[in-house]
Amino acid sequence: GLGLHSTAILTRETREKYPTARQRRFSTASLVPSFDFHPLLSGGPFQNASGVRVRLFPRGVESLNAVASNLLASQLPKILIPNVEHRLPSDQGVINISKIRMSRFKRASVHNISMKAPNRVMWEMRNVDIGLIGDLSGNTNIVVPLDLTGEAEILVEGLDLTIESELERSPDGSAMVTTLYCSSAIKAVEVINHNGGVFGLAVTVFKQGIGENVRSMLERIICKEVKKYIDDDLNLKLAEVQTKSPLSKAVQLNSLKAKDLHSKDTRGISFTNFFDKDFSSDFYIDYRLKENPSCGDNIIDLGSSGEISYKGLGDTPFGPVAIPAPDADNNEMLALSLSDFVLNSLFYHAYKQRKLRVFLDSSTHGAESMLRTKCDGGFCLGDLIPQLGESYPNSSLAMLFSATRSPAAIFSERNGGSLSLRLGGLLALYIEEAGRKRQIALFNVDVIVSAQLSVVKGSIRGSISLDRFDLVKKYGELRISKEELDDIAILSSQFIEGMLNELFATGFPLPVPQVLHLDNLHLKIRNRHVVLLTDFTVDENRLSKIASAALFPFIPKSPNAPSISSLLDVQPASTQVESSARLVRPLQQVQQHQP
């Protein structure tokens, strides 16, 4: 923004103090014709490359393992189980159990999720105890004929489960999980008949004959249902939530924001003067995968689009350059590599939607006194251009900046890491007469801005400087001298510095799951991309609500339960996760079920 305090540099004292700086930084050179986007962005056919790379390191896997264990412990006791009909071998009868619910639950003593090449995910649970109860019906003829009535409670002791899955990219870009292998083993099963007609010898027959059949039945059903859940239900839910998100939501939940970006004092004009109130809700960031996930030794790599476009329609005419997967420096949990394509796609679609326009007039807060031809005790443009006061006495002015092509943002390793922004446009100056505005001058503007950036306590800090600022009068009735033109250039440069400061202060969205909160963030700037190394915590309470609504569809919900989309909009409250996974020994003597 631009306020009264920033005008001090335009005094005679400042001109005398920095005579060469103005000549070095501001010129009146001829400008290159503009196109839709800068040629620097069209360096190769990278349309299918990933604009964002995410790598989860072993500490991150360990943390998610603990979270998954807590999530299962909280959600599994609530699951409603489908009815079971089991026919005994050799026509010994049929067992029906309906209205099944969980009566007891003891979480696994060991729970482990691990990854291995090329794209495998292993899930192991050891020593789970559960109790299931339901209405019993049917008949058996094992030793003596029995009609089954009442309720059956099945007490399962020592359930072990091993699942191996592979991760892939689905045709629509969401992650897809496919079960390759499942094995389950139960140490012991006890079946109790409540309120039924089984007495005396029949009790022993019932427990021994039915119990052994129920154990083998459960071992088969568990793998069958887990496979169905993962391959069908889970993938449907993943496809729903892994698509695109409004920029406003992405910025609200996980973003980098600027603080103390040092430039001239440019207070006075808010960010809303540069982008309208619907800007962040009109633009969407694309989270879809551009390639198949890959895994290593407890490491997982994901590559997603990162494109920001109007209404999520895409169609950016350039793509990201190929960026490498990031490495950890100090045993971090997570790393993100973000191509400058993320910024440039936003700039391009904002330009195409005519959003890169800034208009200031006498009604703009903080600029009303500056936009005058006659100054009343303060500073105004009439001080810079005396002809304004002579030709248009005591009048108000208006200024309009409009980009003539999409800005180009380029990350570079130079000078320890910097962001270079190239911006071209037109600056029009208007006089307000009788309630109408009349253009009196039009200027070509060409700007190159450099920002030296770092991250301190989750905020971007650094400095912004203008490497080039060309201001050339195109036409108009206003006569302006070379010295006056240079003064306008200095004023306009401050204006652009303020705009950039407010743009960074609003936040740069980070495409990570909304239940993650990033901690101990470190920034490394590389050529054409930045690397963010971070730890994270998981909002387990919010994750549990989402899982209940989306990932555990059999859990009964009240009529007033929130929808999945409303849960995704909730502002997260951080919950620290500090537990770790135990080392798991291989399963022995388990019953294996190939899906």
Side-chain angles (χ1 to χ4, degrees):
L2 179 62
L4 299 182
H5 297 287
S6 63
T7 60
I9 69 165
L10 302 173
T11 63
R12 184 184 305 276
E13 179 183 349
T14 304
R15 295 182 190 133
E16 294 172 353
K17 188 175 181 180
Y18 304 105
T20 58
R22 177 170 49 189
Q23 296 172 10
R24 182 177 67 251
R25 294 177 61 191
F26 310 116
S27 68
T28 55
S30 299
L31 301 177
V32 178
S34 295
F35 303 96
D36 270 2
F37 60 92
H38 200 284
L40 285 172
L41 304 180
S42 57
F46 304 117
Q47 296 296 105
N48 293 320
S50 296
V52 175
R53 290 195 173 277
V54 179
R55 171 168 281 188
L56 187 65
F57 296 111
R59 279 189 59 233
V61 173
E62 182 180 291
S63 176
L64 292 183
N65 179 58
V67 171
S69 178
N70 293 338
L71 180 64
L72 288 172
S74 67
Q75 298 296 325
L76 284 178
K78 306 175 187 176
I79 286 182
L80 294 180
I81 301 167
N83 295 341
V84 173
E85 179 184 285
H86 179 64
R87 294 193 175 275
L88 302 179
S90 303
D91 294 325
Q92 290 180 310
V94 60
I95 303 171
N96 296 309
I97 305 177
S98 59
K99 299 180 182 179
I100 305 173
R101 60 271 186 201
M102 200 165 290
S103 59
R104 306 179 190 182
F105 177 79
K106 181 178 76 68
R107 66 189 299 165
S109 59
V110 177
H111 182 278
N112 188 53
I113 297 175
S114 60
M115 289 86 181
K116 66 179 183 179
N119 61 345
R120 301 292 192 264
V121 177
M122 303 289 294
W123 177 30
E124 298 172 288
M125 291 194 304
R126 296 284 183 272
N127 200 30
V128 180
D129 292 349
I130 58 175
L132 304 174
I133 191 167
D135 293 346
L136 179 66
S137 62
N139 57 80
T140 64
N141 189 12
I142 300 174
V143 178
V144 294
L146 293 175
D147 289 326
L148 304 178
T149 60
E151 287 188 325
E153 184 173 16
I154 304 171
L155 303 180
V156 176
E157 179 185 348
L159 168 64
D160 294 344
L161 181 66
T162 300
I163 301 168
E164 181 177 350
S165 303
E166 68 175 359
L167 288 175
E168 296 178 295
R169 176 190 178 274
S170 72
D172 65 1
S174 63
M176 183 171 68
V177 186
T178 303
T179 305
L180 300 177
Y181 168 85
C182 179
S183 67
S184 63
I186 297 173
K187 180 179 178 181
V189 170
E190 181 180 5
V191 181
I192 302 172
N193 181 227
H194 297 292
N195 305 318
V198 181
F199 303 99
L201 176 63
V203 173
T204 303
V205 173
F206 177 81
K207 286 188 175 184
Q208 293 178 349
I210 302 301
E212 190 58 38
N213 277 280
V214 167
R215 172 159 54 180
S216 60
M217 173 190 72
L218 285 177
E219 288 174 340
R220 288 194 300 272
I221 287 178
I222 286 171
C223 275
K224 177 183 176 182
E225 291 299 319
V226 166
K227 181 181 183 301
K228 176 181 179 299
Y229 173 69
I230 291 176
D231 295 355
D232 298 334
D233 300 335
L234 178 60
N235 284 323
L236 285 175
K237 299 304 178 183
L238 289 175
E240 289 177 8
V241 300
Q242 288 188 132
T243 51
K244 303 173 183 179
S245 175
L247 200 56
S248 55
K249 184 189 298 180
V251 169
Q252 179 189 28
L253 293 171
N254 270 309
S255 64
L256 280 176
K257 297 189 177 183
K259 191 173 184 180
D260 298 339
L261 290 182
H262 302 300
S263 63
K264 303 297 185 298
D265 185 350
T266 53
R267 294 169 293 174
I269 298 177
S270 68
F271 182 74
T272 55
N273 292 119
F274 302 109
F275 300 106
D276 60 61
K277 63 182 180 179
D278 296 324
F279 180 85
S280 59
S281 58
D282 285 342
F283 287 79
Y284 284 66
I285 184 166
D286 191 344
Y287 292 106
R288 293 178 297 179
L289 299 177
K290 298 290 284 185
E291 56 195 69
N292 282 323
S294 62
C295 299
D297 186 12
N298 278 346
I299 291 176
I300 183 169
D301 287 306
L302 304 172
S304 62
S305 168
E307 180 185 36
I308 301 177
S309 62
Y310 182 70
K311 301 296 185 183
L313 298 176
D315 203 27
T316 305
F318 53 87
V321 301
I323 55 177
D327 292 321
D329 279 351
N330 297 297
N331 198 29
E332 290 89 0
M333 299 168 71
L334 181 73
L336 295 97
S337 289
L338 295 104
S339 165
D340 50 33
F341 169 74
V342 179
L343 267 178
N344 288 316
S345 62
L346 169 62
F347 287 147
Y348 175 78
H349 291 283
Y351 165 73
K352 296 298 287 185
Q353 295 298 318
R354 300 172 64 85
K355 300 287 187 178
L356 298 183
R357 297 162 60 90
V358 181
F359 180 72
L360 306 176
D361 63 7
S362 57
S363 65
T364 304
H365 177 68
E368 58 270 17
S369 59
M370 180 197 72
L371 294 173
R372 297 287 302 172
T373 61
K374 181 180 179 182
C375 307
D376 297 321
F379 168 81
C380 66
L381 284 178
D383 282 342
L384 290 179
I385 311 173
Q387 187 200 147
L388 286 173
E390 297 169 3
S391 302
Y392 316 102
N394 201 28
S395 298
S396 295
L397 300 166
M399 298 173 65
L400 172 66
F401 173 81
S402 180
T404 51
R405 73 177 175 195
S406 170
I410 305 294
F411 289 117
S412 171
E413 293 180 342
R414 287 185 306 124
N415 302 321
S418 65
L419 171 65
S420 175
L421 182 65
R422 299 163 187 259
L423 177 67
L426 296 173
L427 180 65
L429 185 64
Y430 299 85
I431 190 76
E432 295 184 359
E433 297 177 326
R436 303 184 65 181
K437 295 177 176 63
R438 181 167 61 87
Q439 188 181 106
I440 56 175
L442 184 67
F443 306 91
N444 274 325
V445 180
D446 195 21
V447 181
I448 300 178
V449 180
S450 290
Q452 304 296 127
L453 304 176
S454 62
V455 173
V456 179
K457 295 182 179 179
S459 293
I460 301 177
R461 297 174 186 264
S463 60
I464 291 178
S465 62
L466 274 81
D467 299 333
R468 173 178 173 181
F469 192 100
D470 292 341
L471 184 67
V472 179
K473 181 183 174 184
K474 195 174 176 76
Y475 55 77
E477 64 187 58
L478 185 65
R479 296 186 304 275
I480 303 178
S481 68
K482 175 67 166 61
E483 186 181 55
E484 291 170 343
L485 193 63
D486 286 345
D487 285 340
I488 295 175
I490 295 173
L491 181 67
S492 299
S493 70
Q494 288 185 293
F495 178 77
I496 292 176
E497 286 180 352
M499 180 176 70
L500 293 174
N501 270 291
E502 294 192 44
L503 176 63
F504 279 113
T506 297
F508 184 80
L510 300 179
V512 297
Q514 298 165 354
V515 294
L516 296 186
H517 307 293
L518 307 184
D519 303 314
N520 305 320
L521 211 58
H522 300 282
L523 176 72
K524 297 192 296 186
I525 299 181
R526 300 290 183 250
N527 290 329
R528 302 302 306 271
H529 69 284
V530 296
V531 178
L532 294 163
L533 298 169
T534 181
D535 293 336
F536 62 81
T537 56
V538 178
D539 182 354
E540 292 195 59
N541 181 54
R542 188 163 178 268
L543 179 62
S544 180
K545 291 179 180 178
I546 295 173
S548 178
L551 302 181
F552 293 92
F554 301 122
I555 295 175
K557 304 178 182 67
S558 69
N560 298 321
S563 65
I564 298 173
S565 59
S566 67
L567 289 170
L568 293 174
D569 288 335
V570 175
Q571 178 68 25
S574 178
T575 301
Q576 182 72 33
V577 178
E578 298 179 341
S579 55
S580 61
R582 288 175 51 190
L583 188 63
V584 179
R585 297 178 180 174
L587 273 174
Q588 298 179 352
Q589 298 178 347
V590 297
Q591 182 168 345
Q592 299 180 357
H593 304 280
Q594 296 292 342

